[in-house]
């Protein structure tokens, strides 16, 4: 069962949240950002090529033009493979752990799995980030020997940066599963 | 006042008075310029220092700090206002975001 709702990110771009319930204790929440727009791609390409043409007009060196083409191509590939994140998803499995995956525009996916013994809680925290105060979802990790202290804070959804309404949905979904797993730790 | 005298009176007059060991007059203009540029850079520097000392999003300083970890609970008295304490972030979140309206 999957449902998709539209929200806005902290910077105003439209994003979509998709919730899928795989079973009673397993849920997947995926936030999808906007795809690479043709107009921003062509704007960037034209800007680089105009600057290169200006340099060529000044210096009469034709290597500038071919260098600009190479730079554009390689820059685009690097951007798609390392920078542009299409979708970030959170898979919460009640008794097992939490898996965070980010999929890039070139198809690359990077995954992190944290077992349930290390997860203390998933909370919405607010912090100062680049002259703004933003709400962000983060996982509090604990040391298995010290259940009272927070050993690490892992922020989630870093590049799509949903706003508070989307975060509340994700938070409620996660808390339903986490409550089940925390209150029944002995049941297999 | 001494600064103004030194800046404006020509060198020959000062020499005639017997005061020969003054810094070059170049500095009369250079020092104020240095001061103003330093003030301008100080604005930018302060801004940068503030940005650098803000805790990053993945640090535990956004959640708690040394005082909160070591706080001691006062005993709960009936019909009295509860003592001031730092509430853990999980409880705060549950109170804010979980209840249905």
């Amino acid at each position: 069962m999957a449902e998709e709702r539209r929200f806005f990110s902290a910077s105003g771009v439209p994003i979509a949240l998709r919730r899928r319930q795989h079973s009673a204790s397993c849920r997947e929440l995926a936030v999808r950002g906007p795809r690479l727009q043709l107009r921003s791609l062509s704007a960037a390409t034209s800007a680089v090529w105009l600057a290169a043409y200006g340099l060529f007009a000044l210096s009469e060196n034709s290597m500038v033009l071919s260098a600009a083409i190479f730079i554009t191509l390689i820059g685009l590939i690097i951007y798609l493979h390392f920078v542009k994140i299409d979708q970030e998803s959170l898979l919460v499995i009640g008794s097992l752990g939490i898996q965070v995956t980010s999929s890039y525009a070139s198809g690359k996916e990077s995954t992190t799995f944290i077992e349930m013994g290390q997860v203390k809680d998933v909370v919405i925290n607010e912090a100062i980030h680049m002259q703004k105060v933003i709400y962000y979802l983060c996982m509090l990790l604990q040391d298995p020997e010290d259940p009272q202290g927070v050993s690490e804070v892992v922020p989630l959804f870093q590049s799509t940066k949903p706003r508070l309404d989307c975060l509340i949905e994700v938070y409620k979904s996660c808390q339903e599963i986490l409550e089940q797993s925390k209150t029944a730790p002995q049941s297999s | 006042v001494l600064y103004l005298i030194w800046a404006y009176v020509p060198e020959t007059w000062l020499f005639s008075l017997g005061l020969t060991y003054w810094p070059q007059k170049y500095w009369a203009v250079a020092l104020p310029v240095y001061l103003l540029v330093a003030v301008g850079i100080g604005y930018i520097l302060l801004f940068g220092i503030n940005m650098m000392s803000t805790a990053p999003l993945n640090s535990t300083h956004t959640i708690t700090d040394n005082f909160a970890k070591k706080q001691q609970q006062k005993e709960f008295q009936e019909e009295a206002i509860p003592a001031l304490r730092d509430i853990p972030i999980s409880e705060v979140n549950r109170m804010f975001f979980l209840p249905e309206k």
Side-chain angles (χ1 to χ4, degrees), chain A residues 77-160:
Chain A
I77 292 180
I78 290 181
Y79 177 71
L80 289 182
H81 194 67
F82 292 108
V83 174
K84 175 102 185 67
I85 293 188
D86 259 352
Q87 169 174 305
E88 290 172 312
S89 81
L90 192 67
L91 176 68
V92 185
I93 307 178
S95 49
L96 201 58
I98 298 185
Q99 172 169 294
V100 183
T101 71
S102 318
S103 25
Y104 292 81
S106 63
K108 163 173 122 167
E109 286 195 5
S110 88
T111 314
T112 314
F113 177 78
I114 298 152
E115 56 162 353
M116 208 41 114
Q118 283 183 345
V119 170
K120 183 162 190 258
D121 205 0
V122 170
V123 300
I124 298 181
N125 195 13
E126 44 184 311
I128 300 177
H129 175 69
M130 304 288 260
Q131 293 89 47
K132 279 199 293 198
V133 175
I134 59 168
Y135 288 99
Y136 65 104
L137 196 72
C138 59
M139 268 195 298
L140 305 178
L141 303 185
Q142 71 192 8
D143 259 339
E145 302 97 35
D146 175 28
Q148 288 304 105
V150 175
S151 73
E152 202 182 329
V153 172
V154 177
L156 304 171
F157 299 123
Q158 282 294 87
S159 47
T160 45

Side-chain angles (χ1 to χ4, degrees), chain B residues 44-84:
Chain B
I44 302 176
L45 201 67
L46 195 64
F47 188 67
I49 289 179
N50 272 334
M51 276 182 70
M52 276 177 55
S53 47
T54 310
L57 288 190
N58 64 346
S59 90
T60 50
H61 290 293
T62 51
I63 306 231
T64 180
D65 66 355
N66 272 336
F67 297 103
K69 281 185 201 153
K70 296 191 186 137
Q71 63 182 344
Q72 286 134 1
Q73 307 263 13
K74 282 206 179 150
E75 296 150 18
F76 180 67
Q77 294 168 342
E78 297 291 333
E79 296 180 0
I81 300 176
L84 191 66

